[in-house]
Amino acid sequence: MGDLAGPPVISTAGLTKHYGTVHALTDLTVEVGAGVTGLVGANGAGKSTLIKILLGLLEPTSGRASVLGHDIEHDSHDIRRLVGYMPEHDCLPPDTSASDFVVHMARMSGLGASAARERAADVLRHVGLEEERYRPMGGYSTGMKQRAKLAQALVHDPRLVFLDEPTNGLDPAARTDMLRLVQRIGTDFGIAVLVTSHLLGELERVSDHVIVLDGGHLLRSSATGDFLRRTGRMLVEVVGTETERDRLGQALAQRGLTCRPRGTMVAIDPPASDVAVHDLVRDLAAELGLGLMRLEPDRGHLEDVFMEGAPRA
Ligand SMILES: Nc1ncnc2c1ncn2[C@@H]1O[C@H](COP(=O)(O)OP(=O)(O)O)[C@@H](O)[C@H]1O
Ligand SMILES: [Mg+2]
């Protein structure tokens, strides 16, 4: 989509950060464009360090970076005006309501009293904290706290937001909701997003572009579609249980295709000869009286990048 269209939103050159003997970031040169960019890597990979450097909260050991055309060394004031930040750790005063907190953050960014109240109410509604916004945040669930953190990052109408592990501590349903929100920030509001996760596969659905860090080094940076390159394999799922799955698998094997069960599905290797796998599956399913639930290319996953990448000690 908007991948690297126009000038980069973020650009780094040889960015390096040492904490004493710990090499948190090593010679990182990377560009981030418009849209949603996923920054993934295991715990300790350097994701939060990178964000803090870009915000001017930490000084790099060496290297340069710019955010929205502003140099991090000289213009961190401008950067913080244009950028929203959802920190990784809890930063919410427990005795304060989300409404008061977000209004306060809006006032801090320079909005007048009534504009701040209006803007806070809007943004709290967008993140789904309408009902609970007058309650003290100390009593919030993790999901509600994450939403309040997200709201304060958006309240001053930034052009770019850094979301550091927004799904941390959430159950699967809340995780999906949060990821949907992240995607909407990019698509509906046109705000560039840099979002981190230590769960490698989590961001592939919502990111236009993915940057992978490994032990402070850049492992890869590419459009999400390039990660999920076609493997040539097809995945088929039929209505029923393992019995139905295996009936289809055996019938495909009889026609000379190599296939194996994969969970509730059958994975079919690319055929050696010029067989139309799509048509064959459809015809066989009809012949066997099996209902087809899905038939799609097996696109692989982001985790595979790590399997392929040379593991470092
Ligand atoms: N203030 C600090 N002092 C010393 N080491 C730190 C500090 N902050 C982070 N580190 C170390 O730097 C590395 C990168 O950390 P971090 O940027 O927090 O990674 P991530 O956010 O990807 O989990 C880790 O080895 C971490 O232990
Ligand atoms: Mg972190």
Side-chain angles (χ1 to χ4, degrees):
M1 274 162 274
D3 220 4
L4 292 183
V9 171
I10 298 167
S11 155
T12 76
L15 207 58
T16 297
K17 177 69 185 176
H18 295 170
Y19 298 103
T21 55
V22 177
H23 295 190
L25 274 185
T26 304
D27 197 23
L28 180 72
T29 300
V30 75
E31 283 192 356
V32 173
V36 178
T37 299
L39 176 63
V40 305
N43 283 324
K47 305 179 297 292
S48 300
T49 297
L50 173 60
I51 287 178
K52 287 176 195 160
I53 290 174
L54 294 173
L55 283 165
L57 301 174
L58 271 182
E59 234 181 275
T61 306
S62 59
R64 287 175 295 118
S66 69
V67 176
L68 298 166
H70 295 280
D71 190 284
I72 55 164
E73 196 182 344
H74 306 293
D75 308 334
S76 63
H77 184 79
D78 290 316
I79 291 172
R80 285 203 286 268
R81 189 169 48 80
L82 296 169
V83 174
Y85 173 40
M86 175 178 175
E88 180 175 13
H89 298 292
D90 197 349
C91 58
L92 304 172
D95 298 329
T96 306
S97 71
S99 177
D100 286 347
F101 179 61
V102 177
V103 169
H104 172 77
M105 296 303 276
R107 302 273 344 236
M108 296 279 287
S109 75
L111 287 183
S114 71
R117 271 198 305 276
E118 229 168 85
R119 187 68 203 143
D122 272 356
V123 85
L124 283 164
R125 195 179 54 220
H126 279 307
V127 302
L129 263 188
E130 208 163 13
E131 311 273 292
E132 306 90 345
R133 68 184 192 272
Y134 298 120
R135 281 171 42 202
M137 294 187 287
Y140 281 11
S141 67
T142 308
M144 289 157 67
K145 285 182 181 166
Q146 294 293 60
R147 283 160 193 269
K149 274 160 63 178
L150 180 59
Q152 63 77 34
L154 294 170
V155 76
H156 61 303
D157 213 1
R159 285 177 51 201
L160 163 69
V161 283
F162 293 125
L163 309 178
D164 201 355
E165 308 261 359
T167 62
N168 231 5
L170 302 184
D171 62 43
R175 216 166 253 281
T176 305
D177 286 349
M178 178 56 78
L179 289 171
R180 220 173 269 144
L181 258 174
V182 169
Q183 196 167 27
R184 278 186 46 214
I185 294 169
T187 54
D188 298 5
F189 303 109
I191 300 171
V193 178
L194 183 71
V195 53
T196 79
S197 177
H198 64 284
L199 301 170
L200 309 177
E202 180 173 80
L203 297 175
E204 63 191 32
R205 269 173 301 136
V206 300
S207 304
D208 303 309
H209 194 99
V210 176
I211 294 171
V212 186
L213 288 183
D214 183 30
H217 293 261
L218 178 67
L219 192 59
R220 224 180 129 166
S221 168
S222 30
T224 312
D226 295 343
F227 275 100
L228 309 179
R229 79 225 172 289
R230 286 165 177 263
T231 55
R233 274 190 300 269
M234 297 289 294
L235 291 174
V236 195
E237 187 165 22
V238 290
V239 181
T241 61
E242 282 170 17
T243 316
E244 284 74 25
R245 179 198 66 192
D246 293 344
R247 277 178 63 209
L248 179 70
Q250 279 152 17
L252 286 164
Q254 276 166 17
R255 306 295 173 103
L257 288 169
T258 306
C259 44
R260 58 184 71 85
R262 163 113 53 94
T264 57
M265 295 180 283
V266 181
I268 310 168
D269 279 358
S273 60
D274 202 12
V275 179
V277 176
H278 243 94
D279 295 348
L280 183 61
V281 170
R282 204 190 45 217
D283 294 349
L284 276 180
E287 222 170 86
L288 298 169
L290 297 170
L292 267 186
M293 265 169 62
R294 59 172 155 170
L295 172 58
E296 62 189 26
D298 176 10
R299 302 191 310 157
H301 289 286
L302 208 46
E303 282 94 335
D304 301 339
V305 176
F306 280 81
M307 316 277 268
E308 289 162 10
R312 288 158 344 94

